[in-house]
Amino acid sequence: MSRRRVAILISGRGSNMRALIEAAHASDYPADIALVVSSVAGAEGLAFARSAGVGTAVVDQARFRRENRDREAFDAELDTILRNAHIEFVCLAGFMRILSAAFVRKWEGRIINIHPSLLPAFRGLRPHAQALAAGVRVTGCTVHYVIPELDAGATIAQAEVPVMPGDTAETLSARILEAEHRLYPGALKQALNSCIC
Ligand code: GAR
């Protein structure tokens, strides 16, 4: 079995990244986590990636903002880093940026994301607060292909999570995060097994 060279894009804590790196320790897992790229210089997840022996890179969105460089410039640098590292497949894991349509088209079919709701419900920002405001009894998380339209690509896998009485966005988020860590490794495996990349 050939393992695909996978990059994980993060912006912060990186707990989903960690779940993927740990899953890839199994010799029969179809991904080699070859690179972690952060859009934030001090992102917590970078330290774990380095300690796990995974290569890291930063495309610092704050620097791009300071230098008045636009989204396309950011995405072009990101694309160059991925290609130089011979990356075949990309996982977004708490990557809190909208990628340009041009970037997404280059990677279409080879880029996936995890979102903390049962898509198509509660796309975009603050999905936990959206779920609480809607009064749903069940929400969850979704791994899906990334397309130019936000949180709208085909679903690969979903997990349901109950909303408990008295939940806040924080308690709900913590419960969903545990489900995310269980869901994402299997979903990546499934996506790679059906990828013609
Ligand atoms: C996760 O809950 C992930 O689903 C969410 O950010 C969190 C990142 O946590 N992503 C989004 O909301 C993307 N729209 P992590 O950095 O610990 O993996």
Side-chain angles (χ1 to χ4, degrees):
M1 177 200 66
S2 77
R3 283 153 69 89
R4 304 289 180 200
R5 288 179 65 78
V6 172
I8 305 175
L9 309 192
I10 65 168
S11 299
R13 178 176 55 192
S15 69
N16 278 292
M17 170 209 77
R18 183 174 179 151
L20 294 175
I21 289 174
E22 285 171 353
H25 287 150
S27 58
D28 62 347
Y29 196 74
D32 169 18
I33 308 301
L35 183 66
V36 167
V37 186
S38 174
S39 61
V40 174
E44 201 184 324
L46 286 170
F48 179 83
R50 286 190 200 109
S51 72
V54 176
T56 61
V58 173
V59 186
D60 184 357
Q61 59 187 15
R63 176 172 60 86
F64 275 76
R65 219 175 290 126
R66 276 197 308 275
E67 295 172 358
N68 281 325
R69 294 166 72 199
D70 61 11
R71 185 175 303 282
E72 281 65 31
F74 180 100
D75 289 358
E77 186 163 316
L78 178 60
D79 187 62
T80 299
I81 287 171
L82 296 173
R83 287 179 198 282
N84 287 346
H86 306 290
I87 296 302
E88 297 167 285
F89 200 92
V90 176
C91 293
L92 310 186
F95 186 67
M96 303 312 270
R97 287 183 61 85
I98 294 175
L99 291 161
S100 60
F103 179 94
V104 171
R105 282 199 199 95
K106 281 189 210 158
W107 288 92
E108 205 156 346
R110 299 182 297 137
I111 181 167
I112 65 177
N113 178 45
I114 188 156
H115 182 79
S117 75
L118 293 176
L119 292 172
F122 315 133
R123 291 177 183 174
L125 288 177
R126 303 175 66 240
H128 312 96
Q130 291 187 53
L132 291 173
V136 294
R137 294 278 178 83
V138 176
T139 178
C141 47
T142 303
V143 178
H144 64 94
Y145 286 99
V146 175
I147 62 170
E149 191 185 342
L150 187 65
D151 297 332
T155 292
I156 299 161
Q158 288 187 310
E160 292 188 351
V161 174
V163 179
M164 300 298 195
D167 257 343
T168 62
E170 288 70 33
T171 58
L172 181 58
S173 163
R175 195 175 309 114
I176 294 175
L177 196 62
E178 288 176 17
E180 293 182 46
H181 298 161
R182 290 190 295 272
L183 187 70
Y184 210 170
L188 171 59
K189 182 175 181 175
Q190 193 182 317
L192 286 174
N193 286 340
S194 61
C195 184
I196 44 161
C197 50

